[in-house]
């Protein structure tokens, strides 16, 4: 019995320290899942058609639907931004970050990052095949696409990749300002990539919303798992914290 007391005290101390954060994160995770399920149901029923088409038309010149609103350079910039959510860029980003973490002697996090991103990509493909929503045809596409529409693969996979990488990498940084910056960059890239898909006419707005919701929920779930079982900051007095400088 006496041998079990320190362990029980350690568990209770961990719960006492992280319970409010865990409750908030669990609520966000549950809310993200419910929101995605609701949005998927609305899309399948066709209830979002008017909303989707109105936004796509608002982003084009009324006299020529093949021409988006805004200056010519904006279209070129949006095409560059949307490429940041492509398979090539995201694969390269994931591989480079994984190698960096391995070189930084953070093998567990590196493996978890790779598994989290690959799992999110697989989930995105399964969701697309399950809903099987065709691409929008109300406006001409400004880039070539050839797969299904909901959820947006660019929106979801970029959220999975950038948010997961940001959340897990930020946990390895010493200073709070650095951690905030890394997460903010991940969020900004995810938002910009998703919005670019609507501007280019290759996705309905609800496709992007669904992608953001599913991707962010996946990233949050991965962060919770990593914080509890893998992250160096996973608990008070843990071995992973012993050789780490105090946070700013």
């Amino acid at each position: 019995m006496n041998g079990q007391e320190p362990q029980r005290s350690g568990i209770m101390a961990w719960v006492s320290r992280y319970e409010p954060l865990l409750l908030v994160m669990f609520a966000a995770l549950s809310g993200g899942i419910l929101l995605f399920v609701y949005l998927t149901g609305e899309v399948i029923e066709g209830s979002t058609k008017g909303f989707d088409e109105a936004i796509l038309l608002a982003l084009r010149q009324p006299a020529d639907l093949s021409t988006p609103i805004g200056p010519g350079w904006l279209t070129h910039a949006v095409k560059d931004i949307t490429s940041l959510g492509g398979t090539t860029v995201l694969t390269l980003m994931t591989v480079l970050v994984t190698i960096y973490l391995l070189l930084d002697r953070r093998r567990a996090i590196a493996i978890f990052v790779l598994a989290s991103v690959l799992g999110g990509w697989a989930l995105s493909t399964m969701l697309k095949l399950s809903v099987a929503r065709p691409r929008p045809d109300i406006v001409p596409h400004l880039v070539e696409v050839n797969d299904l529409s909901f959820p947006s693969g660019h929106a979801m996979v970029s959220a999975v990749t950038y948010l997961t990488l940001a959340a897990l990498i930020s946990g390895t940084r010493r200073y709070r300002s650095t951690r905030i910056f890394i997460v903010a960059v991940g969020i900004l890239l995810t938002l910009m990539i998703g919005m670019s898909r609507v501007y280019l006419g290759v996705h309905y707005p609800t496709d992007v919303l669904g992608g953001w919701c599913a991707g962010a929920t996946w990233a949050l779930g991965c962060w919770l798992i990593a914080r509890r079982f893998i992250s160096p900051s996973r608990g008070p007095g843990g071995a992973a914290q012993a050789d780490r400088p105090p946070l700013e």
Side-chain angles (χ1 to χ4, degrees):
M1 292 294 293
N2 293 335
Q4 293 180 347
E5 285 302 322
Q7 181 180 3
R8 184 178 295 114
S9 299
I11 294 175
M12 293 305 297
W14 185 88
V15 171
S16 299
R17 178 175 178 180
Y18 291 113
E19 183 179 12
L21 176 64
L22 289 176
L23 289 176
V24 172
M25 293 298 100
F26 181 76
L29 186 67
S30 302
I33 295 173
L34 291 175
L35 180 58
F36 180 78
V37 171
Y38 170 78
L39 184 59
T40 302
E42 293 293 298
V43 166
I44 293 175
E45 293 176 2
S47 303
T48 64
K49 182 178 180 180
F51 167 78
D52 283 326
E53 294 185 349
I55 292 182
L56 286 176
L57 290 173
L59 294 174
R60 298 300 174 93
Q61 299 290 347
D64 183 8
L65 294 181
S66 64
T67 305
I69 60 174
W73 60 263
L74 180 59
T75 302
H76 180 75
V78 171
K79 289 181 179 179
D80 288 341
I81 291 171
T82 207
S83 66
L84 296 176
T87 303
T88 302
V89 173
L90 293 179
T91 299
L92 182 62
M93 179 72 68
T94 302
V95 170
L96 291 176
V97 169
T98 301
I99 293 174
Y100 164 77
L101 290 172
L102 288 173
L103 294 175
D104 199 38
R105 303 296 189 271
R106 300 181 186 273
R107 184 170 177 270
I109 300 179
I111 295 174
F112 188 76
V113 163
L114 185 60
S116 300
V117 172
L118 292 179
W121 290 7
L123 178 62
S124 174
T125 301
M126 289 189 293
L127 291 174
K128 275 182 175 287
L129 294 175
S130 299
V131 178
R133 186 187 199 184
R135 293 277 181 167
D137 57 5
I138 190 172
V139 296
H141 300 166
L142 300 184
V143 291
E144 183 179 353
V145 291
N146 50 26
D147 60 347
L148 298 170
S149 194
F150 183 92
S152 165
H154 271 66
M156 179 173 175
V157 174
S158 63
V160 166
T161 304
Y162 289 122
L163 295 184
T164 298
L165 292 179
L168 297 183
I169 293 175
S170 66
T172 70
R173 299 303 88 200
R174 176 181 180 182
Y175 298 108
R176 183 179 295 108
S177 57
T178 306
R179 298 195 298 272
I180 292 174
F181 176 76
I182 291 173
V183 173
V185 168
I187 293 173
L188 178 62
L189 288 173
T190 299
L191 293 176
M192 291 173 63
I193 292 168
M195 289 187 289
S196 73
R197 305 306 285 173
V198 179
Y199 184 85
L200 296 172
V202 295
H203 274 296
Y204 295 108
T206 47
D207 294 338
V208 172
L209 290 174
W212 282 340
C213 184
T217 301
W218 178 270
L220 176 59
C222 292
W223 179 82
L224 286 173
I225 294 173
R227 185 177 181 87
R228 176 61 184 93
F229 298 105
I230 300 175
S231 174
S233 58
R234 65 177 178 267
Q241 284 187 327
D243 59 351
R244 196 175 169 205
L247 297 178
E248 187 186 53

